[in-house]
Amino acid sequence: MIDPRPLEDVDAQVADLIRADVTRQNSHIHLIASENFVSRAVLEASGSVFTNKYAEGYPGRRYYEGCEVVDEVEILAKERAQALFGAEHANVQSHAGSQANLAAYFAFLEPGDKVLAMGFDQGGHLTHGLPVNASGELYDFVPYGVDPDTELIDMDEIRRLALVHRPKIVLAGYTAYSQVLDFEAFRSIADEVGALLMVDAAHFIGLVAGDAYPSPVPYADFVTGTTHKALRGPRGGLILSREEHAERIDKAVFPGMQGGGIFNQVAAKAVCFLEASTPEFRVYAKQIVLNARALANRLTAEGVRVVGGGTDNHMVLTDMRSIDEELTGKKGARLLNSVGITCNFNAVPFDPRRPFVGSGIRFGTPAMTTQGMKEPEADETAGLLAEVLRHRDDPVALEELEVRIRKLAGAFPAYPEGFPGHV
Ligand SMILES: Cc1ncc(COP(=O)(O)O)c(C=O)c1O
């Protein structure tokens, strides 16, 4: 029989851990560029009984019986994604962004085929050919980077590399880069060398949904993404494509990359696509960018160097060496977290340090914007975090700064009523 008792009564340890993380989430200013806070509706769908259903295959073509309802959920999620992004086809089954990327490669590449993508040490993702990742093991990634002087992507250099290497896929997309990509220029380079254009929009797909970033959909053959970053949905991946690629992509996701979809997450994706199609979401997405600019401006004014000179998206990559040559990203990020500002260390382009230490810290504004913060709070946050980094060896100053940070965070809790509907 199904145990009807609530989590608290069944497993007090896990219930306590959830409560502890609600407290952590409510008492920090959250500046991890890839994180966000989902709505109660997304949490409910994600915690729903769809977790019980096995449904390998696609609507109407399942390998299990009893899929009538999950078929409807998947169709709903797919149609909402297509409408939201103006895409001819959407696959909503990928368990995560990495799986979406690997499925896209699997759909169009043979082992050893060439892909031109942003290097990991320049702002690309590990699924863009890092040797320890399956992408790097299976395919021949040619990295491009940023210009050493401007720290911006140089389309002429990408074109030059494409002409030399003749890749099968040109990949546009990043995990640490603060500018808008020129999708039209990427398209024309791909066309010139007869390559497919793939855009990994994991980071900015939420901004695209809210009209705060140009859409890659009209230019790309296929676009991969995550639903859990700025898009403010459940953890998961998605692939948008032209109709001509639909069959190959669907086949690469299932049975190529995975078995059954995670249908509680697919249901939550459907909810997130609905939420992202509202006028409120467009206001939210634009505020994310305004907050990132306010953060970047104040950091610059405080003498913290912003890589690339500013931001046009939700992300601000900073160079700790502008505070102190000896200060690593890792040390700075640890310190900030200890006083209530959560962020992550990151390599900066041409970083002499190992990626596991890094000279930079990446800040992002999707979560703080969901917390309800606007430019004045972004400005204040940047001022506080610069002070923390400057006073890193002064425990008295740090204590005083922590009080101010906790006060600001406490005024904008993500979940003022605790873990909605559960603990
Ligand atoms: C550009 C890019 N692609 C793919 C991913 C992978 O997403 P996931 O962590 O869901 O596998 C990320 C995650 O940060 C990313 O930044």
Side-chain angles (χ1 to χ4, degrees):
M1 192 185 113
I2 293 168
D3 189 340
R5 292 174 301 157
L7 176 64
E8 257 189 324
D9 296 348
V10 176
D11 188 338
Q13 275 178 295
V14 168
D16 279 348
L17 290 171
I18 293 174
R19 251 193 302 269
D21 213 53
V22 172
T23 303
R24 183 193 67 84
Q25 293 189 26
N26 277 339
S27 59
H28 282 224
I29 300 172
H30 293 274
L31 297 179
I32 291 183
S34 47
E35 288 187 2
N36 213 330
F37 300 106
V38 299
S39 66
R40 177 184 178 137
V42 167
L43 270 181
E44 275 184 25
S46 171
S48 70
V49 292
F50 284 126
T51 195
N52 298 333
K53 189 68 199 107
Y54 233 112
E56 283 181 352
Y58 288 97
R61 290 176 288 134
R62 301 287 190 191
Y63 290 78
Y64 291 79
E65 294 307 314
C67 293
E68 311 79 58
V69 185
V70 289
D71 276 7
E72 279 190 53
V73 165
E74 183 167 352
I75 290 166
L76 195 60
K78 173 182 153 65
E79 288 182 350
R80 283 180 180 172
Q82 287 167 187
L84 179 62
F85 295 106
E88 290 173 11
H89 178 70
N91 183 303
V92 294
Q93 284 196 14
S94 286
H95 298 338
S98 299
Q99 273 83 351
N101 282 349
L102 289 168
Y105 303 146
F106 192 56
F108 297 99
L109 300 175
E110 299 299 324
D113 276 350
K114 278 202 169 75
V115 183
L116 182 60
M118 194 166 196
F120 180 71
D121 57 347
Q122 298 274 305
H125 188 249
L126 56 96
T127 56
H128 300 174
L130 197 67
V132 293
N133 185 262
S135 56
E137 177 79 31
L138 289 171
Y139 308 110
D140 184 7
F141 274 78
V142 177
Y144 61 82
V146 295
D147 179 277
D149 295 326
T150 61
E151 294 174 314
L152 303 178
I153 284 174
D154 174 357
M155 294 311 297
D156 292 336
E157 175 61 7
I158 294 175
R159 178 167 179 266
R160 189 188 69 76
L161 288 168
L163 288 168
V164 171
H165 295 282
R166 319 288 305 184
K168 204 156 172 188
I169 290 181
V170 172
L171 171 49
Y174 52 74
T175 200
Y177 184 69
S178 303
Q179 308 299 318
V180 160
L181 296 178
D182 185 346
F183 298 121
E184 199 177 344
F186 272 106
R187 177 78 258 168
S188 96
I189 291 169
D191 286 344
E192 197 175 345
V193 298
L196 293 161
L197 176 62
M198 167 174 169
V199 175
D200 179 350
H203 258 279
F204 50 82
I205 196 161
L207 300 180
V208 172
D211 279 340
Y213 198 91
S215 174
V217 171
Y219 302 99
D221 289 280
F222 37 96
V223 176
T224 55
T226 50
T227 45
H228 50 271
K229 297 186 170 72
L231 197 50
R232 213 159 60 181
R235 304 203 76 78
L238 116 128
I239 307 178
L240 306 167
S241 72
R242 298 184 174 174
E243 187 54 43
E244 65 188 283
H245 303 310
E247 201 182 324
R248 282 179 93 147
I249 284 174
D250 285 353
K251 257 191 176 156
V253 172
F254 171 85
M257 197 53 54
Q258 61 193 44
I262 305 178
F263 280 88
N264 49 318
Q265 296 301 78
V266 172
K269 286 176 191 177
V271 177
C272 119
F273 298 142
L274 181 72
E275 290 178 346
S277 61
T278 58
E280 292 76 24
F281 192 87
R282 280 195 282 284
V283 173
Y284 164 68
K286 290 186 175 89
Q287 190 64 48
I288 292 176
V289 179
L290 294 175
N291 285 354
R293 290 213 180 107
L295 199 81
N297 288 344
R298 179 67 185 272
L299 285 170
T300 306
E302 296 280 344
V304 181
R305 196 177 81 77
V306 171
V307 173
T311 183
D312 275 333
N313 60 16
H314 60 300
M315 208 189 288
V316 181
L317 183 61
T318 56
D319 186 344
M320 291 300 104
R321 294 171 300 181
S322 54
I323 297 173
D324 176 351
E325 200 59 47
E326 296 303 311
L327 180 60
T328 65
K330 189 169 190 170
K331 193 167 169 207
R334 283 261 158 92
L335 175 65
L336 285 168
N337 187 56
S338 73
V339 295
I341 294 178
T342 312
C343 53
N344 69 282
F345 61 88
N346 215 102
V348 295
F350 313 103
D351 201 326
R353 293 192 167 106
R354 288 177 297 126
F356 196 60
V357 177
S359 295
I361 297 186
R362 190 185 67 163
F363 299 104
T365 51
M368 71 154 1
T369 309
T370 301
Q371 283 178 271
M373 296 189 184
K374 295 205 162 74
E375 291 99 313
E377 290 83 24
D379 178 83
E380 189 180 349
T381 299
L384 285 165
L385 75 84
E387 273 201 73
V388 168
L389 294 169
R390 275 198 301 266
H391 292 99
R392 62 196 174 281
D393 296 322
D394 179 349
V396 178
L398 289 176
E399 217 172 290
E400 187 261 333
L401 285 162
E402 179 169 0
V403 172
R404 287 166 59 195
I405 290 165
R406 301 281 181 196
K407 192 166 164 226
L408 179 58
F412 295 88
Y415 296 115
E417 283 152 25
F419 178 28
H422 294 260
V423 179

